[in-house]
Amino acid sequence: MKLFKKIIGVLIGTLIMGLGVAFFELSSLGFDGLSCVVVSLQGLTSVTYSIGYLLVNLLFFILMIIFLRGQIGIGSVINYLLTGVFGDLFMHLFKAVGFSGSSIFILNLLFGLFGVICLALGIALYANANLGVTPYDALPLIITKYLKINKKPIKYHIARKMVDGACILFGLIVGIIVLKQYHISGINTVVTLIFVGYL
């Protein structure tokens, strides 16, 4: 019964994370670091968000299998398979009911705030279940485990900023400079980078 409750927590957390991504799209003010990469890949290949999420995280999952196998759990698999699906689901649902982005900046800021809150809440629910690390969250753990500066391991929060920063840089170069899609990186990107962990 305890495991069942944890799995439900992971599913709800993953669902809420997908909702957060949909709010980010609605706001047109940027995505979180991982979604910057996924949405940039979407622009390059015309795949859906869910397929892009699976492709990007497949690389992270392979690295996790090689370097951090002990942190893989049922939660890791659920997050990998369903976050993108839930993101697509809510994006299509918003469009189906005629809920689209606004030309009013304050309203877009509000959508972005909903996205940040959903992302933070989803991560909290997921992490609290303790059923495995997400493929994306595994990257900074791998860095802290294997990379050292002056024979000292890199601290987790620095490794996390390195990973987020690399993803945001990818979104800036590919999404904005190459694809000219200015909604990929923005205010939401900066806010999630700084505040989601605290939330």
Side-chain angles (χ1 to χ4, degrees), residues 102-160:
S102 171
S103 59
I104 303 171
F105 181 69
I106 296 298
L107 193 54
N108 288 333
L109 277 178
L110 194 59
F111 291 149
L113 179 61
F114 288 157
V116 171
I117 291 170
C118 285
L119 190 65
L121 179 59
I123 291 170
L125 284 168
Y126 174 92
N128 193 55
N130 199 26
L131 291 179
V133 175
T134 70
Y136 183 69
D137 290 335
L139 294 181
L141 290 174
I142 292 170
I143 290 172
T144 59
K145 186 175 181 180
Y146 290 99
L147 293 183
K148 291 179 173 58
I149 297 177
N150 295 327
K151 297 183 179 180
K152 293 181 179 180
I154 297 172
K155 292 181 179 180
Y156 178 82
H157 69 93
I158 295 174
R160 180 67 190 224

Side-chain angles (χ1 to χ4, degrees), residues 12-191:
I12 293 173
T14 303
L15 180 79
I16 294 173
M17 288 166 70
L19 178 60
V21 171
F23 272 122
F24 284 152
E25 186 192 48
L26 203 60
S27 74
S28 297
L29 294 175
F31 292 85
D32 61 281
L34 174 58
S35 292
C36 282
V37 178
V38 175
V39 176
S40 296
L41 181 63
Q42 268 188 281
L44 288 172
T45 62
S46 298
V47 297
T48 62
Y49 181 86
S50 56
I51 297 298
Y53 188 91
L54 287 173
L55 291 174
V56 170
N57 278 276
L58 178 61
L59 172 63
F60 303 156
F61 216 123
I62 291 170
L63 291 173
M64 195 176 180
I65 291 169
I66 296 171
F67 298 108
L68 209 69
R69 193 173 303 170
Q71 296 288 343
I72 297 174
I74 190 170
S76 311
V77 178
I78 290 171
N79 178 274
Y80 171 65
L81 294 176
L82 295 181
T83 302
V85 173
F86 288 142
D88 260 346
L89 174 69
F90 284 114
M91 288 176 197
H92 291 308
L93 187 61
F94 284 164
K95 289 174 184 175
V97 298
F99 198 35
S100 58
S102 171
S103 59
I104 303 171
F105 181 69
I106 296 298
L107 193 54
N108 288 333
L109 277 178
L110 194 59
F111 291 149
L113 179 61
F114 288 157
V116 171
I117 291 170
C118 285
L119 190 65
L121 179 59
I123 291 170
L125 284 168
Y126 174 92
N128 193 55
N130 199 26
L131 291 179
V133 175
T134 70
Y136 183 69
D137 290 335
L139 294 181
L141 290 174
I142 292 170
I143 290 172
T144 59
K145 186 175 181 180
Y146 290 99
L147 293 183
K148 291 179 173 58
I149 297 177
N150 295 327
K151 297 183 179 180
K152 293 181 179 180
I154 297 172
K155 292 181 179 180
Y156 178 82
H157 69 93
I158 295 174
R160 180 67 190 224
K161 292 291 187 289
M162 289 168 60
V163 172
D164 288 339
C167 288
I168 292 168
L169 183 62
F170 183 91
L172 287 170
I173 294 171
V174 176
I176 293 180
I177 297 174
V178 176
L179 297 172
K180 310 296 183 186
Q181 295 183 7
Y182 300 101
H183 70 286
I184 292 176
S185 294
I187 295 171
N188 297 334
T189 312
V190 176
V191 171

